[in-house]
Amino acid sequence: MSVILETRDVSCVFRVSGGFMAKKRSLHAVNGVSITVEKGSVLGLVGESGCGKSTMAKMLLGLQAPTGGAVLFDGEPLGDMDRLARARRVQPIFQDPYSSLNPRKSIEDIVTLPLRVHKVGGPADWSARAAEMMDLVGLSRRYLTSYPSQLSGGQRQRVAIARALAMKPEVVICDEPTSALDVSVQSQILNLLMDLRQELGLTYVLISHDLAVVEHIASRVAVMYLGRIVEEKDTETLFGNPQHPYTRALLASVLTPEPGKGVPDAQLGAAFPNPLAPPPGCMFHPRCVKAMPHCSTTPPQPVPSGDGHVECHLYAPARKNVA
Amino acid sequence: MADAIVAGSALDPARALGPSPTSRFFRRARGHTSIMFGGGVLLVIVLTALFAPLLAPHDPYAQDLFKRLLPPFWMDGSVPEHVLGTDNLGRDYLSRIIYGARVSLLIGVCTAVISGVIGTALGVTAGYFGGRVDIVITFIITTRLSMPIVLVALAIVALVGGSLHAVVLVLGLLLWDRYAVVMRSATQQARSMDYVSAARAIGCPTWRIVLSEIMPNVINNLIIIATFEVAHAILLEASLSFLGLGVQPPAPSWGLMIAEGKEFLLFDPWVIAIPGVALSILVLAVNMLGDGVRDISAPENRS
Amino acid sequence: MSALLDVQDLTVDIPVSDGELHPVRGISFSIERGETLCLVGESGCGKSLTSLAIMGLLPKRAQRTARVLRIGDLDISSASSREMAHIRGNSMAMIFQEPMTSLNPAYTIGNQLEEALIRHRRVSRAKAQERAVYLLEKVGITGAAGRLRQYPHQLSGGLRQRVMIAMALMCGPELIIADEPTTALDVTIQAQILLLLADLQREFHMGMLLITHDLGVVARVADRVAVMYAGQIVEQGTAAEVFERPLHPYTRGLMACIPIPGKTVRGGRLGSIPGLVPSLIGDMHGCAFRDRCAHATSACASYEAMRDQGDGRAYRCVMTPEETMAASMREQAA
């Protein structure tokens, strides 16, 4: 299995003004992240607000230049590719079906935009391809002449998928593709995404806060917290035996539709980290039940675990502590 | 595909589709009083101006010193061939009003076009690129806003000499601020939408994103501002002409007619009243049209 | 002992340009003190409008009718707007989804909390402040006295939602209506807020109407569940009953859509419900779900009644319990 997408110690630091006269501060949205994605697999990127997953998505798409490190596509740095070459290889599907389609364009215009920008074939080809794409995503061809405001959320998301696949990309970055949809529509879109992946040999990076969905679709999962990956390995192992205390708290907080189990208490405390002033040492230590004295002074290093890694002093090789 | 739509069922698009955005817009337009009234009146004025040579009973420049200051038809002493009376040089007032519409509309539209182009270019650029570009352009806008336009216009026209072209140029180069401000915020809003990110991810070049993706979504704002600015320009021209620094006599400009009539205010108030009313009706119609367009396009912006 | 909240045949009609919209069509349920009823459904089912109808916060054009609409001893259905203003915040309080838009960004937290009490009871500002601090601590906010002077934008989403809860409790209401209280929050914060609500409910012996689209929340939090579809309640019962033995095809369809780690086959196809919700404009008759139901027959076009199974268990389907369980088997085999 070859690595199709990889990031090497990639970072993205934003300068944020503190106020009228205050000095500018640094926001480390993404702080030295290294991941590899194998061709044909699905990487699930999970984390809560402020963890940096949206910024990661933008960097993987080439929409945001990293301030450090590199994003590599088949070994080639994304920053070196011209925008058309990059667009042919990686495409997005966004969360909000209401803002991801231009309300003033017809569905046909939206779906064929990639073809027109890349100057693939002529108008006759474009119409044919548009019809093909509609069939592929399960939408009637009659919708080609409609406008987004006439379609439901699920239908719009299908159009977004058709647009993303028009140029046959290799990697699709799905940024919360079903969060804004109703439950009964979510499953349709997820089924569609899974079918298309099989059919077209796609690779997905699935960014989601819905852990049940990630567990269902992803082959590998990476958990992000305040710009760093705290744990990353194959799905079964991560869900079966989560090591990092944050991963455990996250998984414990998932509310599955099983009655009688009550609401779990992940014991995280009410403190919420400020991304502009992250805690020293391990960034998770103020909320960690297993925090040790040196967690507040020394940042943990990634430790190999399973086929991935975990970043926590509990598993550091010098100490024999078992969680 | 197991989830595909079956024709004829409850899922059939022919049944599920609502009206398209364009047909919805026009349907709402027809039902809206402001638009119908404002638009209707404006249409009448535009047609009058277009067909002025056919509609005007007399030559607006023809003087007849024996028929000075004849009153309009609703007063005693009026004459049937001069329905709205004559001015102090014996020129037919109705014809001058009709031809005056041309001046007002011409100035309004030309000024709107010039200032619209300048303001939109500046506003869209600032809104799309943000950062330093935005800081510079905002500074330019602020500078312009701190200038008292009427005084500046007066000064320039006094230097250059009053004429139709001077007025259009001066006003066009000064009245772009509202366009810039509104287009800037409208562009910023559109810029934050995911369809712009999608276009960038597709590899769309910047010029294409601005013209093809963003412009159609901000054009509504442009139209609304344009209608108000047309009214603004018309009134400013009237003021400039009134002060003798706009259109020069003997051209029939409503502002000029008001100026020429001010000496007769006490005894023949209709000399000022008639062009004054005409000006008010035009400006009111334009404003109502703008109001109406803004009303009906507002709900469309919500999905 | 009569129920705390009693709603019978609640209907909301709204005139629109194309005709008349019927977003809520004959809803009936009741809530006891100390009980949590979850109203669950997808977008457009009418659950939010139901809560607004109970609170008397519907838009002017909307028309509300109900056979019974009562909280405690107060009859809401015929209450004037002034009486409703007195009841709101006092006997019933509402918690909304977006804490940033429900808290006024121009006023301090303390101001808003105190106002909630001062408007309803004639207490001094000092007393109101005392209660505000007490409740902020109850909802788990540390340094409560200092927080009073803070503005909403200085707090995180989870903290703001806690402030909303404290605000709802200022007058000691008997019923809390929470409309998607945790949808906008992170997963870990969601669990904390739900635990908090459950604790407070127990301590103050309040009834709670929780409106959500998230079946996970419903299963873990609800005592009783009412599933809504196209303006009607299509199934209700205790959480255990509805989740373990769903009697309505829509309920079963919804549950089949959700992957459960450890239970659903990883990578397998998820269940789905084909089609779209029918239009709620104009005359509606028969089962609203029939166009999307795999078991629909011609009888469905004229059947609309609830089948009462006793003890609050009911569902709205032409199939008898035996028929619907057989249908459920067929669905699972497919």
Side-chain angles (χ1 to χ4, degrees):
Chain A
M1 284 265 259
S2 62
V3 170
I4 190 166
L5 178 64
E6 135 180 46
T7 72
R8 289 198 190 143
D9 206 29
V10 80
S11 294
C12 191
V13 180
F14 293 110
R15 305 283 290 153
V16 176
S17 66
F20 183 46
M21 287 301 196
K23 215 171 44 157
K24 275 194 178 267
R25 295 194 282 175
S26 300
L27 176 63
H28 290 261
V30 176
N31 195 358
V33 165
S34 301
I35 51 170
T36 54
V37 186
E38 292 192 352
K39 190 168 166 60
S41 71
V42 179
L43 172 70
L45 206 54
V46 303
E48 297 179 302
S49 47
C51 72
K53 54 192 201 291
S54 331
T55 312
M56 271 302 286
K58 294 211 180 84
M59 288 199 290
L60 292 173
L61 286 165
L63 294 179
Q64 171 79 47
T67 52
V71 178
L72 298 152
F73 220 97
D74 256 343
E76 201 188 327
L78 207 62
D80 290 349
M81 286 187 217
D82 76 53
R83 58 180 160 75
L84 290 177
R86 189 217 344 114
R88 273 194 292 272
R89 313 190 74 173
V90 60
Q91 281 294 306
I93 294 172
F94 292 109
Q95 171 177 1
D96 184 359
Y98 293 89
S99 86
S100 60
L101 303 182
N102 191 330
R104 298 273 180 225
K105 302 272 178 183
S106 71
I107 302 299
E108 179 158 0
D109 280 341
I110 292 174
V111 169
T112 55
L113 181 65
L115 302 170
R116 287 180 284 128
V117 169
H118 290 248
K119 300 196 175 63
V120 174
D125 303 309
W126 299 335
S127 300
R129 186 102 181 96
E132 259 176 58
M133 298 310 303
M134 295 296 271
D135 292 340
L136 188 67
V137 300
L139 274 179
S140 160
R141 293 183 182 196
R142 274 193 250 186
Y143 283 116
L144 283 170
T145 49
S146 325
Y147 285 80
S149 55
Q150 297 169 280
L151 270 56
S152 70
Q155 290 166 329
R156 288 185 209 202
Q157 205 63 319
R158 288 178 195 257
V159 171
I161 294 173
R163 173 179 61 192
L165 300 178
M167 291 296 294
K168 303 193 180 151
E170 294 166 61
V171 177
V172 182
I173 311 290
C174 309
D175 190 351
E176 308 267 11
T178 56
S179 308
L181 303 173
D182 278 326
V183 170
S184 59
V185 179
Q186 276 195 29
S187 59
Q188 288 179 18
I189 299 296
L190 289 171
N191 285 343
L192 175 64
L193 285 173
M194 290 196 289
D195 288 341
L196 289 171
R197 187 178 73 91
Q198 285 258 30
E199 231 176 284
L200 303 174
L202 300 167
T203 307
Y204 289 156
V205 174
L206 173 67
I207 293 164
S208 179
H209 68 274
D210 189 339
L211 289 150
V213 165
V214 169
E215 198 265 355
H216 188 75
I217 299 189
S219 41
R220 291 187 73 76
V221 179
V223 180
M224 281 188 80
Y225 188 79
L226 283 185
R228 283 199 66 80
I229 299 225
V230 296
E231 186 166 357
E232 184 257 327
K233 50 176 70 106
D234 69 286
T235 313
E236 258 186 79
T237 318
L238 190 127
F239 275 79
N241 183 22
Q243 293 189 299
H244 195 284
Y246 177 62
T247 315
R248 291 196 181 179
L250 204 54
L251 292 179
S253 304
V254 172
L255 299 175
T256 53
E258 295 167 302
K261 289 195 175 174
V263 180
D265 186 359
Q267 295 176 324
L268 278 175
F272 197 76
N274 179 1
L276 281 170
C282 170
M283 290 186 291
F284 184 63
H285 84 262
R287 302 167 84 192
C288 184
V289 274
K290 302 223 186 266
M292 299 180 283
H294 61 282
C295 292
S296 54
T297 50
T298 333
Q301 295 302 311
V303 171
S305 160
D307 61 354
H309 74 269
V310 67
E311 213 169 84
C312 177
H313 286 302
L314 287 168
Y315 307 98
R319 301 188 173 265
K320 300 291 182 202
N321 291 346
V322 177
Chain B
M1 299 245 9
D3 299 333
I5 313 290
V6 176
S9 70
L11 324 164
D12 186 11
R15 281 177 56 188
L17 281 182
S20 78
T22 345
S23 63
R24 216 172 34 207
F25 181 88
F26 284 113
R27 185 164 29 124
R28 266 193 231 135
R30 270 196 295 274
H32 199 280
T33 7
S34 277
I35 293 191
M36 295 322 300
F37 187 74
V41 170
L42 190 58
L43 188 63
V44 167
I45 298 181
V46 168
L47 288 174
T48 312
L50 275 176
F51 294 110
L54 297 173
L55 291 168
H58 300 269
D59 178 0
Y61 293 90
Q63 301 178 11
D64 187 347
L65 294 168
F66 290 108
K67 293 189 181 162
R68 297 170 62 224
L69 290 176
L70 290 172
F73 67 91
W74 62 82
M75 291 169 69
D76 304 321
S78 66
V79 158
E81 61 205 25
H82 294 288
V83 175
L84 285 183
T86 60
D87 69 359
N88 68 323
L89 289 178
R91 297 176 290 200
D92 178 39
Y93 231 38
L94 178 60
S95 310
R96 285 187 70 80
I97 290 282
I98 290 175
Y99 274 87
R102 284 191 164 188
V103 172
S104 294
L105 285 174
L106 196 67
I107 301 227
V109 169
C110 291
T111 310
V113 167
I114 297 177
S115 51
V117 166
I118 299 176
T120 303
L122 286 174
V124 170
T125 311
Y128 187 81
F129 292 102
R132 290 215 190 98
V133 174
D134 189 15
I135 294 179
V136 168
I137 294 184
T138 308
F139 179 74
I140 296 175
I141 297 176
T142 316
T143 311
R144 156 56 199 86
L145 281 172
S146 52
M147 287 166 35
I149 338 172
V150 180
L151 290 181
V152 171
L154 281 178
I156 297 181
V157 172
L159 279 173
V160 176
S163 74
L164 192 69
H165 302 98
V167 171
V168 167
L169 263 176
V170 167
L171 291 182
L173 291 172
L174 283 177
L175 288 180
W176 50 262
D177 54 287
R178 214 191 294 193
Y179 291 101
V181 169
V182 170
M183 293 306 270
R184 176 178 170 274
S185 71
T187 305
Q188 279 175 338
Q189 257 191 322
R191 175 82 170 73
S192 67
M193 300 297 248
D194 283 337
Y195 61 81
V196 172
S197 302
R200 289 176 62 212
I202 287 173
C204 227
T206 310
W207 64 264
R208 192 172 184 150
I209 295 180
V210 171
L211 286 179
S212 178
E213 301 288 321
I214 295 195
M215 281 307 284
N217 284 291
V218 299
I219 212 93
N220 258 352
N221 303 61
L222 181 57
I223 292 174
I224 294 167
I225 297 297
T227 47
F228 293 123
E229 288 296 312
V230 163
H232 192 195
I234 292 173
L235 284 176
L236 268 182
E237 176 274 322
S239 320
L240 286 177
S241 301
F242 180 84
L243 294 171
L245 286 165
V247 177
Q248 296 298 305
S253 148
W254 291 346
L256 207 48
M257 287 159 75
I258 294 179
E260 289 165 347
K262 67 176 187 287
E263 305 159 38
F264 313 103
L265 184 56
L266 279 179
F267 295 105
D268 302 300
W270 51 268
V271 183
I272 284 194
I274 293 177
V277 166
L279 205 51
S280 308
I281 292 179
L282 174 57
V283 169
L284 182 67
V286 170
N287 279 333
M288 286 182 81
L289 187 61
D291 260 345
V293 171
R294 189 191 56 214
D295 273 348
I296 65 176
S297 48
E300 207 134 64
N301 293 337
R302 283 182 277 125
S303 45
Chain C
M1 166 95 169
S2 61
L4 169 63
L5 176 71
D6 196 6
V7 177
Q8 301 289 329
D9 277 337
L10 175 65
T11 302
V12 175
D13 300 309
I14 306 179
V16 292
S17 54
D18 305 352
E20 200 171 52
L21 182 68
H22 307 287
V24 179
R25 304 185 289 134
I27 301 281
S28 302
F29 62 86
S30 62
I31 304 182
E32 306 287 336
R33 261 170 229 292
E35 182 185 49
T36 301
L37 172 73
C38 272
L39 208 52
V40 63
E42 298 179 297
S43 50
C45 70
K47 55 193 194 298
S48 286
L49 277 175
T50 302
S51 67
L52 292 175
I54 296 172
M55 293 285 277
L57 291 173
L58 288 171
K60 274 212 182 81
R61 307 169 295 152
Q63 278 161 311
R64 173 191 80 179
T65 51
R67 194 160 42 85
V68 175
L69 192 57
R70 180 183 57 76
I71 173 160
D73 298 324
L74 303 164
D75 178 16
I76 307 177
S77 56
S78 54
S80 69
S81 50
R82 188 189 289 186
E83 285 164 355
M84 277 314 295
H86 182 72
I87 295 174
R88 277 196 296 270
N90 219 343
S91 334
M92 316 194 266
M94 198 150 168
I95 299 169
F96 297 93
Q97 175 177 345
E98 283 288 348
M100 194 55 192
T101 49
S102 345
L103 287 175
N104 193 327
Y107 291 92
T108 60
I109 308 281
N111 235 319
Q112 298 185 56
L113 284 167
E114 290 149 26
E115 192 200 343
L117 184 57
I118 293 174
R119 285 199 121 257
H120 288 284
R121 311 273 166 79
R122 300 216 172 277
V123 292
S124 63
R125 190 158 277 274
K127 273 227 167 288
Q129 222 168 62
E130 244 181 74
R131 182 146 173 91
V133 170
Y134 166 69
L135 283 174
L136 282 179
E137 282 168 357
K138 265 267 177 276
V139 299
I141 295 183
T142 51
R147 297 283 190 187
L148 289 182
R149 283 187 294 273
Q150 285 191 314
Y151 286 86
H153 70 266
Q154 294 173 287
L155 303 176
S156 69
L159 281 182
R160 280 185 230 141
Q161 198 59 307
R162 289 174 195 260
V163 169
M164 280 302 301
I165 294 173
M167 203 148 87
L169 295 174
M170 282 301 278
C171 297
E174 302 171 293
L175 175 73
I176 297 261
I177 302 182
D179 190 349
E180 308 266 14
T182 56
T183 303
L185 303 174
D186 284 323
V187 169
T188 49
I189 312 288
Q190 169 170 274
Q192 291 178 337
I193 298 290
L194 290 173
L195 272 176
L196 173 65
L197 278 173
D199 284 340
L200 292 169
Q201 189 195 5
R202 254 194 309 276
E203 185 172 339
F204 295 111
H205 204 49
M206 302 181 292
M208 185 153 77
L209 175 64
L210 181 68
I211 294 161
T212 180
H213 67 277
D214 188 334
L215 285 173
V217 169
V218 177
R220 303 301 189 103
V221 166
D223 294 313
R224 302 188 47 250
V225 179
V227 179
M228 278 188 75
Y229 182 78
Q232 292 175 314
I233 291 184
V234 295
E235 182 160 2
Q236 59 187 24
T238 65
E241 286 169 344
V242 174
F243 276 88
E244 280 157 22
R245 234 178 123 250
L247 293 171
H248 194 282
Y250 176 64
T251 317
R252 287 198 294 269
L254 274 187
M255 292 184 188
C257 291
I258 303 177
I260 301 180
K263 289 208 179 150
T264 341
V265 175
R266 273 197 65 226
R269 280 187 87 76
L270 293 166
S272 64
I273 306 180
L276 298 166
V277 183
S279 165
L280 295 169
I281 298 178
D283 285 329
M284 301 185 68
H285 51 88
C287 174
F289 189 62
R290 64 184 186 275
D291 285 334
R292 308 171 72 185
C293 184
H295 314 287
T297 59
S298 52
C300 302
S302 45
Y303 187 89
E304 253 193 275
M306 272 294 233
R307 282 182 184 274
D308 193 350
Q309 306 293 104
D311 272 336
R313 184 87 170 99
Y315 68 105
R316 198 184 294 267
C317 183
V318 72
M319 292 195 274
T320 61
E322 297 75 34
E323 285 168 346
T324 196
M325 288 321 291
S328 168
M329 304 284 204
R330 286 199 299 276
E331 285 163 16
Q332 279 172 9

